[in-house]
Every structure is written in structure tokens, then in C-alpha cells.
């Protein structure tokens, strides 16, 4: 536990349902009197934008991993940690597991990406929403992406295998996200709420 708030992370491929579920968790926790806040990575900071504009021609898995790590360090110091210290539960849509999955699928060594992100505080709950790339992409057909370069099916298969490796290592909790949304949400709610209770946070039963 970090301060009084609970740090929850949702991970998975594009279209897995992270944003939908994270926002609903914030609503449901708030309506029970548990202060909760939604955030996401990469943030809208200048760092990732700069890499994509000025240095786009130099980009590779290493540059991206370091850019995402710096964006994350600032995110944690500037937003996540202060909220947790004030007792707010923080739900983050992606965290360092995204770097491990995407940048190692792009060619950076898996262990190196973990090492670069050693500064990142461990969440209280880290969930992986598993979905086949094709299904995830089909759910997103109407949306514009900030990172279309990462939305290629074969690449996403490699990303998925990196996530599954982290599940096997015990770093992420596995959830089958191909199931109906209500079912996926209920499973995640049980995990999150159970963790809040076990952390003895300010939980108000309704
Ligand atoms: N279990 C589900 N079954 C069917 N549709 C779902 C399910 N979960 C989410 N969706 C729908 O899929 C779409 C994409 O969901 P969402 O934006 O939450 O995914 P995401 O993981 O945040 O994607 P990205 O990483 O690309 O932002 C939304 O229209 C959402 O309503
Ligand atoms: C944090 C983080 C993200 N990515 C990739 C994963 C996605 O393709 C995009 C973010 O898109 P979203 O629709 O806003 O979720 O960025 C990455 O490669 N490495 C990271 O550390």
C-alpha cells in the first residue's frame, strides 16, 4: 500500500477494455464514498510528443522505452504519488508493464525494460485484460489512435506473448477480456474491492 490510497493498474492490448473498465471503477468507487481518480499512460506530456515529432526518424525500441520511462517518472511524481498520499485510489490505464510488453516486442531486451523501470512503484493490483489482437482491433474500428504504429496484428501477437510471460512470472493477474463486458467488469470489481478491504482503506459498504 502507498500512503492511504490504493494503486490499481489495468493492462492489455488495444481494445481490451481498459479505459471502459477503469472509468467505471472510478464511478463505482466514488459512488460508495471511496475517493478514486482515473489516469493513463503515456500521459499528454511533451516528452512522448517530442520523440514522435523531432526525433521520429531515430525512434527504436530503446528510445521509446526511455521516453515512456521518463514520461512515467514524471507522471508518478507529479500525479500518482500525491493522489495516493492524499488517500485517493488511483486507477491507471497502462503502466510500466506496457513498456515491458510493447518495447520488448519491438526488440528491446525484456529484462532491460524491466530494469529501466525499476523506479516505478509496485501497484497494489495489476490486472492484464487478455484479448486476441484481431478482436481488440475490431472493437476499436471507430476510434483514432495516438499510436497507430503499434496497431499491427503480428506485432500485437508478440506484445500479447510478453504480457502472458508477465502473467506467468506473477507480475499481472490474468482476466479473459473476450467475455461479455459485464462479466469482465464484475471479476475485476471483486478483485479491486477485495484488495481495498484487505488494505483496510476507507470502504463504505452499501
Ligand atoms: N468485454 C467486452 N466486450 C465487448 N466490447 C467491449 C468489451 N470491453 C470493452 N468493449 C468495447 O470495446 C471498445 C474499446 O474499449 P476500450 O476503449 O475500453 O479499450 P482499451 O483497452 O482502453 O483500448 P486502447 O488501449 O486502445 O485505448 C469500446 O467500445 C468498449 O465499449
Ligand atoms: C505506456 C506505454 C504505451 N505504449 C503504447 C501502447 C499503445 O499502443 C499506445 C497507447 O495507446 P492508448 O490508446 O492511449 O492506450 O502506446 C507503449 O508502447 N509503451 C508504453 O510504455
Amino acid at each position: 500500500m502507498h500512503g492511504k490510497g490504493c494503486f490499481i493498474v489495468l493492462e492489455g492490448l488495444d481494445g481490451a477494455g481498459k479505459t471502459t473498465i477503469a472509468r467505471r471503477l472510478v464511478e463505482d468507487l466514488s459512488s460508495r464514498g471511496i475517493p478514486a481518480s482515473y489516469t493513463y499512460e503515456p500521459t499528454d506530456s511533451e516528452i512522448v510528443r517530442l520523440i514522435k515529432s523531432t526525433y521520429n526518424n531515430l525512434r527504436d525500441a530503446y528510445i521509446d522505452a526511455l521516453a515512456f520511462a521518463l514520461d512515467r517518472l514524471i507522471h508518478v511524481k507529479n500525479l500518482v504519488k500525491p493522489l495516493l498520499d492524499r488517500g485517493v485510489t488511483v486507477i491507471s490505464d497502462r503502466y510500466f508493464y506496457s513498456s515491458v510488453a510493447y518495447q520488448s516486442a519491438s526488440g528491446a531486451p525484456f529484462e532491460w525494460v524491466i530494469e529501466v523501470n525499476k523506479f516505478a512503484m509496485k501497484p497494489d493490483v495489476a490486472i492484464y485484460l487478455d484479448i486476441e489482437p484481431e478482436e481488440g482491433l475490431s472493437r476499436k474500428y471507430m476510434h483514432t489512435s495516438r499510436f497507430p504504429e503499434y496497431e499491427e496484428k503480428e506485432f500485437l501477437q508478440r506484445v500479447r506473448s510478453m504480457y502472458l510471460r508477465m502473467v506467468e512470472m506473477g507480475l499481472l493477474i490474468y482476466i479473459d477480456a473476450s467475455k461479455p463486458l459485464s462479466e469482465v467488469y464484475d471479476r475485476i470489481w471483486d478483485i479491486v474491492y477485495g484488495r481495498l478491504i484487505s488494505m483496510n482503506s476507507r470502504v463504505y459498504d452499501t
Side-chain angles (χ1 to χ4, degrees):
M1 179 169 171
H2 311 283
K4 287 177 291 173
C6 183
F7 186 24
I8 315 282
V9 169
L10 298 183
E11 284 284 352
L13 299 186
D14 311 68
K18 301 177 296 297
T19 311
T20 309
I21 289 166
R23 290 199 176 280
R24 203 167 141 195
L25 282 172
V26 168
E27 267 175 37
D28 288 352
L29 290 170
S30 305
S31 71
R32 284 174 183 240
I34 300 163
S37 182
Y38 169 81
T39 188
Y40 57 89
E41 292 189 358
T43 70
D44 294 318
S45 77
E46 284 301 317
I47 294 135
V48 180
R49 251 203 307 275
L50 183 74
I51 296 296
K52 279 176 68 84
S53 54
T54 312
Y55 301 109
N56 202 40
N57 59 328
L58 295 176
R59 274 178 70 198
D60 60 18
Y62 294 87
I63 289 183
D64 278 11
L66 294 172
F68 286 125
L70 179 56
D71 180 64
R72 177 166 304 121
L73 182 53
I74 292 170
H75 182 216
V76 169
K77 284 186 92 163
N78 193 39
L79 187 87
V80 177
K81 181 91 172 36
L83 282 171
L84 293 172
D85 288 345
R86 277 170 33 212
V88 177
T89 286
V90 177
I91 319 274
S92 187
D93 187 337
R94 298 192 182 279
Y95 192 47
F96 76 84
Y97 311 94
S98 282
S99 287
V100 179
Y102 284 75
Q103 276 60 65
S104 64
S106 313
F110 185 90
E111 298 300 343
W112 178 81
V113 187
I114 290 192
E115 194 62 36
V116 161
N117 283 280
K118 274 277 164 65
F119 67 85
M121 68 170 83
K122 199 177 168 306
D124 297 295
V125 178
I127 291 173
Y128 168 56
L129 295 165
D130 185 44
I131 194 162
E132 288 284 350
E134 205 158 348
E135 191 172 350
L137 292 175
S138 75
R139 286 181 185 174
K140 284 195 61 176
Y141 74 105
M142 296 279 278
H143 300 250
T144 49
S145 175
R146 291 189 294 166
F147 295 86
E149 64 269 35
Y150 290 130
E151 294 197 345
E152 201 267 314
K153 233 181 287 171
E154 266 179 35
F155 170 69
L156 290 174
Q157 280 296 0
R158 292 205 298 280
V159 174
R160 184 178 182 225
S161 66
M162 297 301 171
Y163 271 128
L164 292 172
R165 186 166 161 188
M166 286 186 271
V167 170
E168 272 172 28
M169 290 167 72
L171 295 176
L172 290 166
I173 299 169
Y174 179 93
I175 294 282
D176 181 353
S178 68
K179 299 263 191 280
L181 182 55
S182 58
E183 205 177 303
V184 176
Y185 182 77
D186 288 350
R187 289 211 53 202
I188 292 177
W189 172 260
D190 288 347
I191 294 169
V192 167
Y193 200 65
R195 183 73 177 119
L196 273 160
I197 289 170
S198 76
M199 282 168 63
N200 208 15
S201 293
R202 289 176 71 220
V203 173
Y204 301 93
D205 266 319
T206 51

